[in-house]
Amino acid sequence: MTNMVSGADWVALAPLGIVAVTALVVLLVDLAARDHAPRNASIAIGIAGTLVAAFVCARGYGVNYAAFGGAFVQGGFSTVFQEIVLIAVLGSLVLFAAIGKETRVAAGVALMLWSACGAMLMAGAASLMTIFLGLELLSLALYCLCGLSDRPTAREAALKYLILSSTASGFMLYGMALLFGASGSVQLAALVAPALAASPLYWVGSGLFFVGIAFKLSLVPFHTWAPDVYEGAPLPVTAFMSVATKAGTLAVLARFIYAAVPSTIAEKLLLPIWVIAAISMIAGNVGMLAQHDLKRLIAFSGIAQVGYILTALAGGSALGLRYAIYYLVAYAVMNLGAFAIAATLSGDGEEGSRLANYRGLAKRRPLAAALMSVFLIAMAGLPPTAGFLGKILILSSSVSNGYAWLGGVLIVGTAISLYAYAKIVRAMYARDEHAHPHDASPAVPLAWASAVICAVVVIVMAFYPLTPSNILPLVR
């Protein structure tokens, strides 16, 4: 009898292991030196562990290996998505330096790292069981993170996210059970058999599976939780959720689209997803118009931005997948930069996310106003930013793949969003006699450094559009 688990299997999971162990170290250090270790010690350990995991993960880019009997696949596809999750962790960890009680920073950092492990597991998942395991690992830590603040809205957000997310997970699990019933296997590779098109279990199971995916991506009509949960959760948690959750879930959806759908029924089966993506682009951008809080605005923005990314995936071309990843990276950097600016404006018991705080900001803090303008312009898709180039690439992909109507909806949605983003920029640079002449926000060098780095990356990506190659999903 041969051993089914080899050393190479554990090597494939090494980045996840490093992140998980780092979380344990953060808790042990906090336990051993609770009265002496400053909050930055937990953040520094978390950042160091994340950087090591990112380095180890990058070294496995050229390796294609199916670990644990094909349940987890190491390759360019999983590496890219895992790196995006780690970028989200880095950008969110620094925000703990400005937000929240010092006594809870270690717990927040550890939970965020364990949640990231779930998203990274989803990035390499090649079986239904691994997908669900990663999804629950990601979600369970997020439930706790949402309630980390003392604000009543945080507890409400945590409870709402727990109930609704658990319901969505139930739909997804039931869908997976039906897919297993249809194919007789939990491997995604088994779902690509053309004979499954005749099975009602396959169609119903795929539909329920997509319901769970749509909820995690906050796509219409499963998007209503996102604004309330984003607003109630602490700022670092909102920043992490806005990127890591979408990166992990998009990895699962992309692998399903590219490697687990029979080509004979792909257009028919996936059509509802493209329709939902189109509706989400309009609904998300319209929803932004009435918002008065940055976190709620970014929640609605995220609904629309995921619609843009799905537009790139329509048609299932290799180039579309590369463009989708390019825009996902740009979206991650834009969001993390905007949240970093919000952190620099935070005060005692206040997170700096109220849009009223940005009135007259250019006079009080010209650099913060300039950086926030860069991020808002990028979200709106204007040059010279990665948001502009990303939308151009997505448009070309959708038209060349026969989904010009999705490209048309993208243009309409972008036009609507311009008003919402321009309203904030105008408020920052408008003369306002009622604006506070002095800003008492504490100094947060880590958040400033994060914002500057994100702004530079957003602009550089517009001139050097690096998109990963040879990243088609691998299943065996």
Side-chain angles (χ1 to χ4, degrees):
M1 182 175 179
T2 59
N3 186 6
M4 295 182 63
V5 178
S6 67
D9 293 350
W10 295 109
V11 171
L13 284 180
L16 284 82
I18 293 170
V19 174
V21 170
T22 301
L24 280 176
V25 173
V26 168
L27 290 182
L28 290 174
V29 170
D30 182 70
L31 187 65
R34 177 173 291 276
D35 298 330
H36 305 288
R39 77 162 63 195
N40 285 345
S42 300
I43 298 172
I45 296 171
I47 290 176
T50 305
L51 288 174
V52 172
F55 175 75
V56 173
C57 185
R59 286 175 59 88
Y61 180 76
V63 178
N64 295 323
Y65 179 71
F68 301 99
F72 181 88
V73 176
Q74 182 186 22
F77 179 86
S78 58
T79 299
V80 169
F81 278 96
Q82 285 179 349
E83 292 287 359
I84 296 173
V85 172
L86 292 173
I87 289 172
V89 174
L90 286 173
S92 304
L93 284 180
V94 301
L95 304 185
F96 276 113
I99 305 293
K101 289 187 175 181
E102 186 164 352
T103 54
R104 296 177 184 172
V105 168
V109 170
L111 285 169
M112 187 174 289
L113 291 172
W114 281 325
S115 184
C117 287
M120 294 170 71
L121 189 61
M122 292 169 71
S127 82
L128 298 174
M129 290 179 65
T130 314
I131 291 172
F132 191 74
L133 183 63
L135 182 68
E136 289 306 294
L137 184 56
L138 167 72
S139 302
L140 287 174
L142 278 179
Y143 302 149
C144 303
L145 283 168
C146 288
L148 208 59
S149 171
D150 288 331
R151 287 177 289 113
T153 52
R155 312 281 170 76
E156 182 182 339
L159 182 61
K160 183 176 289 186
Y161 189 48
L162 170 65
I163 294 173
L164 295 179
S165 181
S166 300
T167 305
S169 297
F171 275 103
M172 178 180 274
L173 188 60
Y174 193 50
M176 289 177 175
L178 294 179
L179 289 174
F180 172 72
S183 66
S185 171
V186 295
Q187 299 294 333
L188 289 180
L191 298 176
V192 81
L196 289 177
S199 171
L201 292 180
Y202 176 80
W203 289 90
V204 177
S206 297
L208 294 176
F209 181 78
F210 289 147
V211 168
I213 293 289
F215 178 88
K216 291 299 177 184
L217 291 176
S218 59
L219 290 169
V220 174
F222 310 103
H223 66 293
T224 53
W225 62 274
D228 293 342
V229 173
Y230 276 36
E231 183 183 18
L235 191 70
V237 178
T238 307
F240 176 75
M241 286 179 66
S242 68
V243 179
T245 305
K246 288 182 171 57
T249 310
L250 279 169
V252 170
L253 180 60
R255 197 183 292 276
F256 192 90
I257 291 173
Y258 281 81
V261 176
S263 58
T264 53
I265 60 168
E267 188 173 348
K268 196 179 204 179
L269 181 68
L270 300 176
L271 180 61
I273 295 181
W274 315 137
V275 173
I276 287 175
I279 299 173
S280 298
M281 283 189 270
I282 300 298
N285 286 316
V286 171
M288 278 196 301
L289 300 178
Q291 302 309 314
H292 301 284
D293 185 275
L294 180 69
K295 291 195 287 187
R296 291 185 67 86
L297 185 139
I298 286 183
F300 279 103
S301 171
I303 294 167
Q305 307 276 3
V306 169
Y308 302 154
I309 296 172
L310 291 184
T311 299
L313 297 179
S317 69
L319 206 55
L321 178 59
R322 294 173 62 180
Y323 292 163
I325 291 175
Y326 173 86
Y327 195 81
L328 178 60
V329 173
Y331 165 77
V333 178
M334 292 185 282
N335 268 19
L336 294 173
F339 280 119
I341 292 298
T344 65
L345 302 179
S346 64
D348 187 20
E350 201 267 331
E351 293 187 331
S353 65
R354 288 189 301 123
L355 293 182
N357 293 343
Y358 297 83
R359 199 179 304 145
L361 183 65
K363 185 176 182 181
R364 306 191 316 268
R365 292 193 173 193
L367 178 59
L371 292 173
M372 182 57 94
S373 298
V374 170
F375 300 130
L376 293 174
I377 289 172
M379 290 181 192
L382 296 177
T385 63
F388 171 74
L389 183 61
K391 287 184 179 177
I392 295 295
L393 295 176
I394 290 173
L395 272 175
S396 69
S397 173
S398 61
V399 172
S400 61
N401 289 325
Y403 289 86
W405 61 276
L406 266 177
V409 176
L410 184 150
I411 294 173
V412 173
T414 299
I416 297 172
S417 71
L418 288 177
Y419 178 78
Y421 295 122
K423 189 172 64 174
I424 305 173
V425 175
R426 186 183 63 180
M428 288 192 296
Y429 285 92
R431 290 187 176 181
D432 189 348
E433 297 176 354
H434 300 289
H436 300 294
H438 302 292
D439 200 326
S441 301
V444 279
L446 281 177
W448 277 109
S450 175
V452 171
I453 292 171
C454 288
V456 171
V457 173
V458 163
I459 294 175
V460 169
M461 281 182 67
F463 297 98
Y464 297 94
L466 296 176
T467 56
S469 59
N470 301 323
I471 50 164
L472 282 177
L474 299 171
V475 291
R476 297 180 183 178

